Amino acid sequence: MKQRLLSLLLLAALTFSLAVPASAAGALPFTDVKSDAWYYSYVKDLHDKGIVNGTTPTTFSPQGKVKLGEALKLILMAAGYKEQAPTASHWASGYYQLAQSKGFLPSGMSLGLNDTISRLQIAELIVNILGLERTNQSPSPFADTSDLSALILSDHGIFQGTQVDGKSFFYPQNSITRAEISAVICRVYDYQASQKPEDPDNPPDIPEDPDEPDTPSGDYFYFNGKKVYVVEEMPKRSYDSSLFQVNENGFLTYDSDEYSCKIGIDVSRYQGSIDWAQVKQAGVDFAMLRLGYRGYSTGAIVKDNYFDKNIREALANGIEVGVYFFSQAINEKEAEEEAQFCMDILSAYPITYPIVFDWEPYSSSLNPRTDGLSDRMLTKCAVAFCKAVEARGYESMVYSNLTYFYLHFDLSKLVDFPLWLAQYNKTPTFYYHFDMWQYSSTGKVPGINGNVDLNIQFIPKK
Protein backbone atom coordinates (compact mmCIF):
# COMPACT_ATOMS: atom_id res chain seq x y z
CA MET A 1 0.00 0.00 0.00
CA LYS A 2 2.81 2.42 0.90
CA GLN A 3 4.65 1.60 -2.28
CA ARG A 4 1.49 2.21 -4.37
CA LEU A 5 0.84 5.61 -2.75
CA LEU A 6 4.44 6.59 -3.43
CA SER A 7 4.00 5.54 -7.05
CA LEU A 8 0.91 7.70 -7.35
CA LEU A 9 2.73 10.67 -5.89
CA LEU A 10 5.62 10.28 -8.29
CA LEU A 11 3.23 9.70 -11.13
CA ALA A 12 1.16 12.82 -10.79
CA ALA A 13 4.18 15.08 -10.56
CA LEU A 14 5.23 14.00 -14.03
CA THR A 15 1.85 13.34 -15.58
CA PHE A 16 0.56 16.87 -15.22
CA SER A 17 3.94 18.55 -15.92
CA LEU A 18 3.50 20.88 -12.98
CA ALA A 19 6.27 23.16 -11.83
CA VAL A 20 4.48 24.61 -8.83
CA PRO A 21 4.82 22.77 -5.48
CA ALA A 22 1.68 21.57 -3.73
CA SER A 23 0.28 23.65 -0.92
CA ALA A 24 -0.68 22.22 2.43
CA ALA A 25 -4.11 20.65 2.88
CA GLY A 26 -6.84 23.23 3.08
CA ALA A 27 -8.74 25.43 0.68
CA LEU A 28 -7.83 24.92 -2.96
CA PRO A 29 -5.77 27.76 -4.41
CA PHE A 30 -7.27 27.32 -7.89
CA THR A 31 -9.64 30.05 -9.00
CA ASP A 32 -11.00 27.85 -11.80
CA VAL A 33 -12.13 25.01 -9.47
CA LYS A 34 -15.28 26.20 -7.72
CA SER A 35 -16.49 24.49 -4.58
CA ASP A 36 -19.78 23.56 -6.25
CA ALA A 37 -18.10 21.94 -9.28
CA TRP A 38 -18.76 18.20 -9.63
CA TYR A 39 -15.01 17.48 -9.69
CA TYR A 40 -14.08 19.69 -6.73
CA SER A 41 -13.80 16.86 -4.18
CA TYR A 42 -11.65 14.75 -6.51
CA VAL A 43 -9.22 17.56 -7.27
CA LYS A 44 -9.10 18.58 -3.61
CA ASP A 45 -8.48 15.03 -2.40
CA LEU A 46 -5.60 14.52 -4.84
CA HIS A 47 -4.22 18.02 -4.20
CA ASP A 48 -4.33 17.54 -0.41
CA LYS A 49 -2.39 14.30 -0.83
CA GLY A 50 0.17 16.10 -2.96
CA ILE A 51 -0.71 14.03 -6.02
CA VAL A 52 -1.75 16.88 -8.34
CA ASN A 53 -0.91 20.58 -8.59
CA GLY A 54 -1.98 23.35 -10.89
CA THR A 55 -0.70 24.48 -14.25
CA THR A 56 0.02 27.77 -12.45
CA PRO A 57 -0.14 28.64 -8.73
CA THR A 58 -3.79 29.68 -9.08
CA THR A 59 -4.98 27.71 -12.11
CA PHE A 60 -5.80 24.00 -12.42
CA SER A 61 -7.15 24.05 -16.02
CA PRO A 62 -9.83 21.44 -15.36
CA GLN A 63 -10.92 21.35 -19.01
CA GLY A 64 -7.40 20.77 -20.34
CA LYS A 65 -7.21 17.64 -22.50
CA VAL A 66 -5.14 14.61 -21.45
CA LYS A 67 -2.64 13.12 -23.94
CA LEU A 68 -1.80 9.43 -24.52
CA GLY A 69 1.65 9.70 -22.92
CA GLU A 70 0.24 11.22 -19.74
CA ALA A 71 -2.54 8.64 -19.59
CA LEU A 72 -0.16 5.70 -20.01
CA LYS A 73 2.10 6.79 -17.21
CA LEU A 74 -0.82 7.65 -14.94
CA ILE A 75 -2.54 4.29 -15.28
CA LEU A 76 0.58 2.10 -15.37
CA MET A 77 2.03 3.57 -12.21
CA ALA A 78 -1.34 3.61 -10.46
CA ALA A 79 -1.48 -0.11 -11.29
CA GLY A 80 1.86 -0.62 -9.53
CA TYR A 81 4.34 -0.64 -12.38
CA LYS A 82 7.72 0.95 -11.84
CA GLU A 83 8.77 4.28 -13.32
CA GLN A 84 9.98 3.76 -16.89
CA ALA A 85 13.00 5.56 -18.36
CA PRO A 86 12.57 6.94 -21.90
CA THR A 87 13.50 4.53 -24.67
CA ALA A 88 13.28 7.22 -27.38
CA SER A 89 13.05 11.01 -27.58
CA HIS A 90 9.60 11.30 -25.95
CA TRP A 91 9.55 11.32 -22.15
CA ALA A 92 6.74 8.70 -22.10
CA SER A 93 8.32 6.33 -24.66
CA GLY A 94 9.27 3.84 -21.95
CA TYR A 95 5.66 3.58 -20.80
CA TYR A 96 4.51 3.10 -24.37
CA GLN A 97 7.05 0.30 -24.88
CA LEU A 98 5.96 -1.38 -21.63
CA ALA A 99 2.28 -1.20 -22.59
CA GLN A 100 3.01 -2.49 -26.06
CA SER A 101 5.12 -5.42 -24.85
CA LYS A 102 2.38 -6.57 -22.47
CA GLY A 103 -0.44 -6.19 -24.98
CA PHE A 104 -2.13 -3.40 -23.04
CA LEU A 105 -2.64 -1.10 -26.02
CA PRO A 106 -6.14 -1.46 -27.50
CA SER A 107 -6.25 -3.14 -30.89
CA GLY A 108 -6.09 -0.57 -33.68
CA MET A 109 -4.94 2.31 -31.48
CA SER A 110 -2.86 4.63 -33.68
CA LEU A 111 -2.39 7.60 -31.34
CA GLY A 112 0.93 9.33 -30.91
CA LEU A 113 2.13 10.09 -27.39
CA ASN A 114 1.20 13.76 -27.80
CA ASP A 115 -2.28 13.00 -29.20
CA THR A 116 -5.42 13.61 -27.18
CA ILE A 117 -6.96 10.39 -25.86
CA SER A 118 -10.70 9.68 -25.79
CA ARG A 119 -12.81 8.46 -22.89
CA LEU A 120 -13.28 5.05 -24.51
CA GLN A 121 -9.55 4.66 -25.15
CA ILE A 122 -8.86 5.52 -21.51
CA ALA A 123 -11.41 2.89 -20.48
CA GLU A 124 -9.75 0.26 -22.68
CA LEU A 125 -6.33 1.06 -21.23
CA ILE A 126 -7.55 0.82 -17.64
CA VAL A 127 -9.30 -2.50 -18.28
CA ASN A 128 -6.24 -3.97 -19.99
CA ILE A 129 -3.69 -2.69 -17.48
CA LEU A 130 -5.66 -3.58 -14.35
CA GLY A 131 -6.90 -6.87 -15.82
CA LEU A 132 -10.53 -6.13 -14.96
CA GLU A 133 -13.49 -8.25 -16.01
CA ARG A 134 -17.26 -7.86 -15.88
CA THR A 135 -18.83 -8.62 -12.51
CA ASN A 136 -22.31 -9.20 -13.98
CA GLN A 137 -24.06 -9.56 -17.32
CA SER A 138 -26.58 -6.73 -16.94
CA PRO A 139 -27.40 -4.55 -19.98
CA SER A 140 -25.39 -1.40 -20.66
CA PRO A 141 -26.27 1.47 -18.30
CA PHE A 142 -25.22 3.90 -21.06
CA ALA A 143 -27.51 5.15 -23.81
CA ASP A 144 -24.65 5.72 -26.27
CA THR A 145 -22.40 2.65 -25.95
CA SER A 146 -22.36 -1.00 -25.04
CA ASP A 147 -18.59 -1.29 -25.42
CA LEU A 148 -17.21 -3.96 -23.11
CA SER A 149 -14.55 -1.70 -21.56
CA ALA A 150 -17.13 0.93 -20.63
CA LEU A 151 -19.36 -1.74 -19.05
CA ILE A 152 -16.46 -3.23 -17.07
CA LEU A 153 -15.45 0.13 -15.60
CA SER A 154 -19.08 0.88 -14.80
CA ASP A 155 -19.29 -2.47 -12.95
CA HIS A 156 -16.27 -1.48 -10.85
CA GLY A 157 -17.44 2.11 -10.24
CA ILE A 158 -14.43 3.65 -12.00
CA PHE A 159 -16.30 5.33 -14.85
CA GLN A 160 -19.75 6.83 -14.41
CA GLY A 161 -22.03 8.30 -17.02
CA THR A 162 -23.40 11.82 -17.44
CA GLN A 163 -27.14 12.07 -16.76
CA VAL A 164 -29.20 13.78 -19.45
CA ASP A 165 -33.02 13.64 -19.45
CA GLY A 166 -33.03 10.55 -17.28
CA LYS A 167 -30.46 8.69 -19.40
CA SER A 168 -26.79 8.00 -18.74
CA PHE A 169 -24.27 8.88 -21.47
CA PHE A 170 -20.66 7.73 -21.68
CA TYR A 171 -19.62 9.99 -24.61
CA PRO A 172 -17.05 7.41 -25.79
CA GLN A 173 -15.38 9.58 -28.44
CA ASN A 174 -15.04 12.71 -26.31
CA SER A 175 -11.60 13.64 -25.02
CA ILE A 176 -10.92 13.20 -21.32
CA THR A 177 -10.12 16.29 -19.29
CA ARG A 178 -7.90 16.97 -16.29
CA ALA A 179 -11.03 17.16 -14.15
CA GLU A 180 -12.26 13.79 -15.42
CA ILE A 181 -8.89 12.09 -15.05
CA SER A 182 -8.74 13.33 -11.44
CA ALA A 183 -12.05 11.58 -10.75
CA VAL A 184 -10.90 8.43 -12.52
CA ILE A 185 -7.61 8.29 -10.58
CA CYS A 186 -9.44 8.72 -7.28
CA ARG A 187 -11.69 5.80 -8.20
CA VAL A 188 -8.81 3.64 -9.38
CA TYR A 189 -7.03 4.40 -6.12
CA ASP A 190 -10.18 3.46 -4.15
CA TYR A 191 -10.60 0.29 -6.18
CA GLN A 192 -7.01 -0.77 -5.61
CA ALA A 193 -7.33 -0.05 -1.89
CA SER A 194 -10.54 -2.11 -1.75
CA GLN A 195 -8.61 -5.17 -2.95
CA LYS A 196 -6.72 -5.10 0.37
CA PRO A 197 -3.33 -6.24 -0.93
CA GLU A 198 -0.95 -7.77 1.52
CA ASP A 199 1.21 -5.18 3.23
CA PRO A 200 4.86 -6.23 2.70
CA ASP A 201 5.74 -4.52 5.99
CA ASN A 202 3.14 -6.58 7.89
CA PRO A 203 2.85 -10.02 6.29
CA PRO A 204 0.12 -12.31 7.63
CA ASP A 205 0.95 -15.18 9.94
CA ILE A 206 1.30 -18.31 7.81
CA PRO A 207 1.53 -21.73 9.46
CA GLU A 208 4.71 -23.62 8.73
CA ASP A 209 4.31 -26.01 5.79
CA PRO A 210 7.29 -28.01 4.53
CA ASP A 211 5.74 -28.11 1.04
CA GLU A 212 5.37 -24.36 0.73
CA PRO A 213 7.67 -22.84 -1.93
CA ASP A 214 10.39 -20.38 -1.06
CA THR A 215 9.51 -16.70 -0.93
CA PRO A 216 9.20 -15.59 -4.58
CA SER A 217 11.60 -13.08 -6.05
CA GLY A 218 12.46 -11.54 -9.40
CA ASP A 219 10.35 -9.57 -11.85
CA TYR A 220 6.74 -8.88 -10.94
CA PHE A 221 3.70 -6.89 -11.92
CA TYR A 222 0.46 -5.94 -10.16
CA PHE A 223 -2.97 -7.46 -10.75
CA ASN A 224 -6.00 -6.23 -8.81
CA GLY A 225 -3.66 -4.49 -6.40
CA LYS A 226 -1.60 -7.60 -5.65
CA LYS A 227 1.98 -8.35 -6.58
CA VAL A 228 2.33 -11.18 -9.11
CA TYR A 229 5.81 -12.64 -9.61
CA VAL A 230 6.74 -13.66 -13.14
CA VAL A 231 7.15 -17.40 -13.68
CA GLU A 232 10.21 -17.38 -15.91
CA GLU A 233 9.81 -20.97 -17.11
CA MET A 234 6.26 -20.33 -18.33
CA PRO A 235 6.24 -19.24 -22.01
CA LYS A 236 5.02 -15.66 -22.51
CA ARG A 237 2.12 -14.56 -24.70
CA SER A 238 3.30 -13.72 -28.22
CA TYR A 239 -0.01 -13.07 -30.01
CA ASP A 240 -0.18 -9.77 -31.91
CA SER A 241 -3.27 -7.88 -30.70
CA SER A 242 -3.66 -6.10 -34.04
CA LEU A 243 -4.23 -9.42 -35.86
CA PHE A 244 -7.47 -10.37 -34.14
CA GLN A 245 -10.31 -9.94 -36.63
CA VAL A 246 -14.05 -10.66 -36.67
CA ASN A 247 -15.16 -12.72 -39.66
CA GLU A 248 -18.38 -12.49 -41.66
CA ASN A 249 -20.13 -14.87 -39.23
CA GLY A 250 -19.24 -12.77 -36.19
CA PHE A 251 -16.50 -15.07 -34.84
CA LEU A 252 -13.10 -13.86 -33.73
CA THR A 253 -10.22 -15.10 -35.88
CA TYR A 254 -6.44 -14.89 -35.79
CA ASP A 255 -3.75 -15.43 -38.40
CA SER A 256 -0.02 -14.67 -38.23
CA ASP A 257 3.26 -16.10 -39.43
CA GLU A 258 3.26 -18.35 -36.37
CA TYR A 259 -0.40 -19.26 -35.75
CA SER A 260 -3.67 -19.96 -37.51
CA CYS A 261 -6.88 -20.61 -35.56
CA LYS A 262 -10.02 -22.69 -35.19
CA ILE A 263 -13.42 -21.40 -34.07
CA GLY A 264 -15.14 -23.05 -31.13
CA ILE A 265 -17.91 -22.99 -28.55
CA ASP A 266 -18.40 -24.64 -25.17
CA VAL A 267 -21.80 -25.89 -24.02
CA SER A 268 -23.59 -27.75 -21.26
CA ARG A 269 -27.15 -28.63 -20.40
CA TYR A 270 -27.84 -24.93 -19.93
CA GLN A 271 -27.92 -24.48 -23.73
CA GLY A 272 -30.69 -27.07 -23.99
CA SER A 273 -31.29 -28.92 -27.25
CA ILE A 274 -28.84 -27.80 -29.96
CA ASP A 275 -29.21 -28.05 -33.73
CA TRP A 276 -25.64 -29.13 -34.44
CA ALA A 277 -26.10 -29.04 -38.22
CA GLN A 278 -26.80 -25.31 -37.99
CA VAL A 279 -23.85 -24.85 -35.65
CA LYS A 280 -21.53 -26.50 -38.18
CA GLN A 281 -22.99 -24.47 -41.05
CA ALA A 282 -22.37 -21.27 -39.05
CA GLY A 283 -18.63 -21.97 -39.15
CA VAL A 284 -17.89 -23.66 -35.80
CA ASP A 285 -14.88 -26.02 -35.99
CA PHE A 286 -14.86 -27.50 -32.47
CA ALA A 287 -16.97 -27.79 -29.34
CA MET A 288 -15.94 -28.25 -25.73
CA LEU A 289 -18.74 -30.16 -24.01
CA ARG A 290 -19.34 -30.34 -20.29
CA LEU A 291 -19.12 -34.03 -19.48
CA GLY A 292 -20.06 -33.64 -15.84
CA TYR A 293 -19.48 -31.99 -12.50
CA ARG A 294 -18.95 -32.67 -8.79
CA GLY A 295 -21.57 -31.24 -6.45
CA TYR A 296 -20.25 -28.34 -4.40
CA SER A 297 -22.09 -29.52 -1.26
CA THR A 298 -22.57 -33.28 -1.66
CA GLY A 299 -19.33 -34.07 -3.46
CA ALA A 300 -21.22 -36.46 -5.74
CA ILE A 301 -20.06 -36.78 -9.35
CA VAL A 302 -22.84 -36.17 -11.86
CA LYS A 303 -22.91 -36.61 -15.64
CA ASP A 304 -24.28 -33.70 -17.69
CA ASN A 305 -27.66 -34.94 -18.89
CA TYR A 306 -27.16 -33.46 -22.37
CA PHE A 307 -23.64 -34.82 -22.83
CA ASP A 308 -24.37 -37.98 -24.82
CA LYS A 309 -26.77 -36.19 -27.16
CA ASN A 310 -24.34 -33.31 -27.66
CA ILE A 311 -21.30 -35.45 -28.40
CA ARG A 312 -23.11 -37.82 -30.76
CA GLU A 313 -24.66 -35.00 -32.80
CA ALA A 314 -21.58 -32.78 -32.79
CA LEU A 315 -19.41 -35.63 -34.10
CA ALA A 316 -22.06 -36.63 -36.64
CA ASN A 317 -21.91 -33.11 -38.08
CA GLY A 318 -18.14 -33.03 -38.44
CA ILE A 319 -17.42 -30.88 -35.39
CA GLU A 320 -14.32 -31.83 -33.41
CA VAL A 321 -14.96 -32.42 -29.73
CA GLY A 322 -13.23 -32.02 -26.39
CA VAL A 323 -14.73 -32.09 -22.90
CA TYR A 324 -14.44 -30.29 -19.61
CA PHE A 325 -15.27 -31.44 -16.11
CA PHE A 326 -16.48 -28.92 -13.54
CA SER A 327 -14.30 -29.95 -10.62
CA GLN A 328 -14.89 -29.41 -6.94
CA ALA A 329 -12.05 -31.70 -5.90
CA ILE A 330 -10.55 -31.04 -2.48
CA ASN A 331 -7.58 -33.39 -2.81
CA GLU A 332 -5.55 -35.21 -5.44
CA LYS A 333 -7.46 -38.46 -5.02
CA GLU A 334 -10.74 -36.74 -5.89
CA ALA A 335 -9.16 -35.03 -8.91
CA GLU A 336 -7.94 -38.40 -10.19
CA GLU A 337 -11.42 -39.82 -9.58
CA GLU A 338 -12.92 -37.05 -11.72
CA ALA A 339 -10.43 -37.73 -14.51
CA GLN A 340 -11.22 -41.45 -14.41
CA PHE A 341 -14.96 -40.71 -14.58
CA CYS A 342 -14.37 -38.71 -17.77
CA MET A 343 -12.18 -41.35 -19.39
CA ASP A 344 -14.60 -44.20 -18.62
CA ILE A 345 -17.36 -42.38 -20.49
CA LEU A 346 -15.12 -41.21 -23.33
CA SER A 347 -13.98 -44.73 -24.16
CA ALA A 348 -17.04 -44.90 -26.42
CA TYR A 349 -16.30 -41.64 -28.28
CA PRO A 350 -13.46 -40.54 -30.61
CA ILE A 351 -12.56 -37.13 -29.19
CA THR A 352 -9.69 -35.12 -30.69
CA TYR A 353 -9.61 -32.19 -28.24
CA PRO A 354 -8.47 -32.15 -24.59
CA ILE A 355 -10.10 -33.29 -21.36
CA VAL A 356 -10.12 -30.11 -19.30
CA PHE A 357 -9.85 -29.49 -15.57
CA ASP A 358 -12.29 -26.65 -14.76
CA TRP A 359 -12.30 -25.68 -11.07
CA GLU A 360 -14.32 -22.62 -10.05
CA PRO A 361 -15.16 -21.22 -6.61
CA TYR A 362 -18.55 -20.91 -4.93
CA SER A 363 -19.59 -18.18 -2.51
CA SER A 364 -18.81 -18.97 1.13
CA SER A 365 -22.45 -18.14 1.90
CA LEU A 366 -23.38 -21.45 0.21
CA ASN A 367 -21.08 -23.40 2.56
CA PRO A 368 -19.32 -25.28 -0.25
CA ARG A 369 -17.17 -28.24 0.72
CA THR A 370 -14.27 -26.52 -1.10
CA ASP A 371 -14.38 -23.46 1.16
CA GLY A 372 -10.90 -22.83 2.50
CA LEU A 373 -9.12 -25.01 -0.05
CA SER A 374 -5.52 -23.82 -0.23
CA ASP A 375 -4.00 -22.59 -3.48
CA ARG A 376 -1.30 -25.24 -3.09
CA MET A 377 -3.89 -28.03 -2.96
CA LEU A 378 -5.87 -26.50 -5.84
CA THR A 379 -2.73 -26.65 -7.98
CA LYS A 380 -2.05 -30.22 -6.88
CA CYS A 381 -5.59 -31.19 -7.92
CA ALA A 382 -5.07 -29.68 -11.38
CA VAL A 383 -1.77 -31.50 -11.82
CA ALA A 384 -3.23 -34.81 -10.61
CA PHE A 385 -6.18 -34.53 -13.00
CA CYS A 386 -3.98 -33.68 -16.00
CA LYS A 387 -1.42 -36.39 -15.28
CA ALA A 388 -4.15 -39.02 -14.95
CA VAL A 389 -5.61 -37.95 -18.29
CA GLU A 390 -2.28 -37.95 -20.10
CA ALA A 391 -1.31 -41.34 -18.65
CA ARG A 392 -4.20 -42.79 -20.68
CA GLY A 393 -3.12 -41.07 -23.90
CA TYR A 394 -5.55 -38.14 -23.84
CA GLU A 395 -4.61 -34.48 -24.07
CA SER A 396 -5.14 -32.43 -20.92
CA MET A 397 -5.76 -28.73 -20.28
CA VAL A 398 -6.49 -26.36 -17.38
CA TYR A 399 -9.27 -23.77 -17.66
CA SER A 400 -9.38 -20.60 -15.56
CA ASN A 401 -9.54 -16.80 -15.59
CA LEU A 402 -6.98 -14.09 -14.89
CA THR A 403 -7.72 -13.98 -11.17
CA TYR A 404 -7.17 -17.68 -10.56
CA PHE A 405 -4.23 -18.06 -12.94
CA TYR A 406 -2.45 -15.05 -11.43
CA LEU A 407 -3.42 -15.23 -7.76
CA HIS A 408 -4.26 -18.86 -6.95
CA PHE A 409 -2.70 -21.45 -9.24
CA ASP A 410 1.04 -22.00 -8.94
CA LEU A 411 1.81 -21.63 -12.64
CA SER A 412 5.32 -23.00 -12.19
CA LYS A 413 3.63 -26.39 -11.61
CA LEU A 414 1.43 -26.06 -14.73
CA VAL A 415 4.19 -25.38 -17.26
CA ASP A 416 3.71 -28.78 -18.92
CA PHE A 417 -0.06 -28.41 -19.43
CA PRO A 418 -1.94 -26.29 -22.01
CA LEU A 419 -4.03 -23.42 -20.63
CA TRP A 420 -7.55 -22.36 -21.61
CA LEU A 421 -8.03 -18.70 -20.72
CA ALA A 422 -11.40 -17.14 -19.87
CA GLN A 423 -11.20 -13.38 -20.41
CA TYR A 424 -14.07 -11.44 -21.92
CA ASN A 425 -12.18 -8.70 -23.69
CA LYS A 426 -11.48 -7.42 -27.19
CA THR A 427 -7.93 -8.73 -27.03
CA PRO A 428 -6.31 -10.96 -24.41
CA THR A 429 -3.99 -9.42 -21.82
CA PHE A 430 -2.87 -12.59 -20.00
CA TYR A 431 0.90 -12.41 -19.53
CA TYR A 432 1.62 -16.04 -20.42
CA HIS A 433 1.04 -18.28 -23.41
CA PHE A 434 -2.34 -20.02 -23.69
CA ASP A 435 -3.66 -22.40 -26.34
CA MET A 436 -7.36 -21.62 -26.18
CA TRP A 437 -9.25 -18.41 -25.34
CA GLN A 438 -12.86 -18.12 -24.21
CA TYR A 439 -13.48 -14.52 -25.23
CA SER A 440 -17.24 -14.14 -24.78
CA SER A 441 -20.05 -15.59 -22.68
CA THR A 442 -22.79 -13.85 -24.67
CA GLY A 443 -22.18 -15.22 -28.16
CA LYS A 444 -25.00 -15.94 -30.58
CA VAL A 445 -24.75 -19.00 -32.83
CA PRO A 446 -27.44 -20.35 -35.17
CA GLY A 447 -28.87 -23.58 -33.78
CA ILE A 448 -28.40 -22.56 -30.15
CA ASN A 449 -31.07 -20.73 -28.15
CA GLY A 450 -29.76 -17.90 -25.99
CA ASN A 451 -26.16 -17.10 -25.16
CA VAL A 452 -23.20 -19.41 -25.68
CA ASP A 453 -19.50 -19.16 -24.83
CA LEU A 454 -17.27 -18.40 -27.82
CA ASN A 455 -13.69 -19.68 -28.11
CA ILE A 456 -10.69 -19.50 -30.37
CA GLN A 457 -7.91 -22.10 -30.50
CA PHE A 458 -4.44 -21.08 -31.67
CA ILE A 459 -2.81 -23.59 -34.03
CA PRO A 460 1.00 -23.38 -34.48
CA LYS A 461 2.02 -23.26 -38.14
CA LYS A 462 5.43 -24.78 -37.50
Side-chain angles (χ1 to χ4, degrees):
M1 182 68 73
K2 294 177 181 176
Q3 183 178 11
R4 184 174 300 103
L5 179 55
L6 178 59
S7 295
L8 284 168
L9 291 168
L10 292 171
L11 158 67
L14 291 169
T15 299
F16 289 120
S17 302
L18 305 178
V20 182
S23 62
L28 279 176
F30 310 128
T31 58
D32 55 354
V33 180
K34 305 299 183 184
S35 60
D36 58 352
W38 67 266
Y39 49 82
Y40 177 87
S41 61
Y42 299 113
V43 175
K44 187 175 188 306
D45 184 48
L46 295 180
H47 182 262
D48 287 350
K49 289 184 171 73
I51 295 173
V52 298
N53 296 320
T55 51
T56 74
T58 59
T59 304
F60 182 74
S61 303
Q63 302 311 314
K65 297 178 179 179
V66 177
K67 308 298 191 298
L68 173 63
E70 297 169 331
L72 281 173
K73 179 160 189 173
L74 180 65
I75 303 167
L76 283 166
M77 293 194 70
Y81 287 91
K82 299 175 182 178
E83 188 172 351
Q84 302 294 307
T87 56
S89 58
H90 195 284
W91 67 267
S93 54
Y95 297 95
Y96 185 90
Q97 181 172 315
L98 173 62
Q100 187 177 47
S101 69
K102 293 187 176 296
F104 292 154
L105 297 176
S107 178
M109 177 179 275
S110 58
L111 295 181
L113 289 168
N114 289 326
D115 291 339
T116 300
I117 191 167
S118 72
R119 289 167 56 85
L120 184 56
Q121 289 167 330
I122 281 282
E124 291 174 328
L125 281 176
I126 293 173
V127 166
N128 289 351
I129 291 171
L130 297 185
L132 301 179
E133 300 174 334
R134 289 220 69 184
T135 61
N136 62 72
Q137 294 299 319
S138 60
S140 173
F142 305 116
D144 56 350
T145 187
S146 58
D147 184 272
L148 181 60
S149 298
L151 303 189
I152 290 173
L153 292 194
S154 174
D155 288 352
H156 291 280
I158 294 174
F159 256 98
Q160 300 173 357
T162 300
Q163 299 298 314
V164 179
D165 296 330
K167 295 181 178 180
S168 182
F169 291 84
F170 188 82
Y171 300 123
Q173 302 310 317
N174 285 13
S175 59
I176 190 163
T177 66
R178 286 166 55 85
E180 291 171 327
I181 205 72
S182 297
V184 168
I185 286 304
C186 279
R187 292 170 189 156
V188 170
Y189 180 78
D190 289 344
Y191 171 79
Q192 296 284 64
S194 73
Q195 302 307 296
K196 298 180 180 179
E198 293 178 4
D199 184 347
D201 295 326
N202 296 286
D205 293 327
I206 301 175
E208 290 187 9
D209 187 332
D211 291 327
E212 280 293 317
D214 294 334
T215 302
S217 61
D219 292 339
Y220 61 86
F221 55 90
Y222 282 89
F223 175 79
N224 283 356
K226 296 184 179 180
K227 186 181 290 186
V228 179
Y229 284 90
V230 173
V231 179
E232 295 298 339
E233 58 267 40
M234 178 71 76
K236 309 305 183 287
R237 186 191 73 247
S238 61
Y239 305 126
D240 184 340
S241 296
S242 68
L243 297 181
F244 287 99
Q245 305 291 330
V246 177
N247 70 10
E248 65 277 7
N249 293 325
F251 297 118
L252 197 66
T253 64
Y254 184 87
D255 187 65
S256 70
D257 292 339
E258 296 180 329
Y259 294 95
S260 59
C261 74
K262 289 186 178 181
I263 294 166
I265 58 174
D266 62 89
V267 301
S268 68
R269 69 178 179 86
Y270 295 108
Q271 275 68 48
S273 183
I274 295 172
D275 185 333
W276 286 97
Q278 286 193 53
V279 172
K280 177 63 176 180
Q281 188 175 7
V284 171
D285 299 310
F286 71 92
M288 303 300 294
L289 312 178
R290 187 176 75 161
L291 187 150
Y293 61 93
R294 185 187 289 275
Y296 73 86
S297 60
T298 65
I301 292 179
V302 181
K303 184 179 179 181
D304 188 296
N305 54 13
Y306 273 81
F307 174 73
D308 288 308
K309 181 177 186 296
N310 281 336
I311 194 169
R312 284 197 301 265
E313 295 184 11
L315 291 171
N317 283 280
I319 295 174
E320 295 189 80
V321 169
V323 304
Y324 67 95
F325 185 89
F326 191 94
S327 174
Q328 288 292 283
I330 58 175
N331 54 49
E332 293 165 283
K333 182 179 179 181
E334 287 193 351
E336 291 168 351
E337 180 186 20
E338 293 168 351
Q340 189 62 51
F341 178 79
C342 292
M343 293 184 290
D344 287 345
I345 292 173
L346 289 172
S347 62
Y349 299 108
I351 70 167
T352 53
Y353 270 65
I355 301 175
V356 182
F357 178 82
D358 171 15
W359 193 99
E360 300 177 37
Y362 280 91
S363 169
S364 294
S365 63
L366 297 174
N367 297 314
R369 61 196 295 275
T370 54
D371 202 21
L373 186 73
S374 71
D375 294 342
R376 183 169 61 87
M377 181 52 70
L378 171 61
T379 302
K380 286 186 174 183
C381 288
V383 171
F385 182 99
C386 290
K387 284 186 174 180
V389 164
E390 294 189 354
R392 289 277 297 274
Y394 291 98
E395 293 182 57
S396 69
M397 182 174 276
V398 178
Y399 168 94
S400 200
N401 58 19
L402 292 176
T403 298
Y404 264 73
F405 276 143
Y406 281 150
L407 304 181
H408 296 281
F409 281 112
D410 180 354
L411 291 179
S412 69
K413 302 295 192 297
L414 301 184
V415 171
D416 295 331
F417 308 115
L419 302 183
W420 179 6
L421 172 69
Q423 185 187 13
Y424 307 143
N425 205 12
K426 288 184 176 179
T427 56
T429 63
F430 187 50
Y431 187 79
Y432 302 101
H433 177 79
F434 50 95
D435 294 86
M436 195 181 296
W437 175 29
Q438 183 188 79
Y439 63 88
S440 176
S441 62
T442 56
K444 304 294 182 184
V445 176
I448 300 177
N449 293 322
N451 295 332
V452 64
D453 295 338
L454 300 180
N455 297 272
I456 182 171
Q457 182 199 21
F458 301 95
I459 311 295
K461 289 185 176 180
K462 298 178 182 179

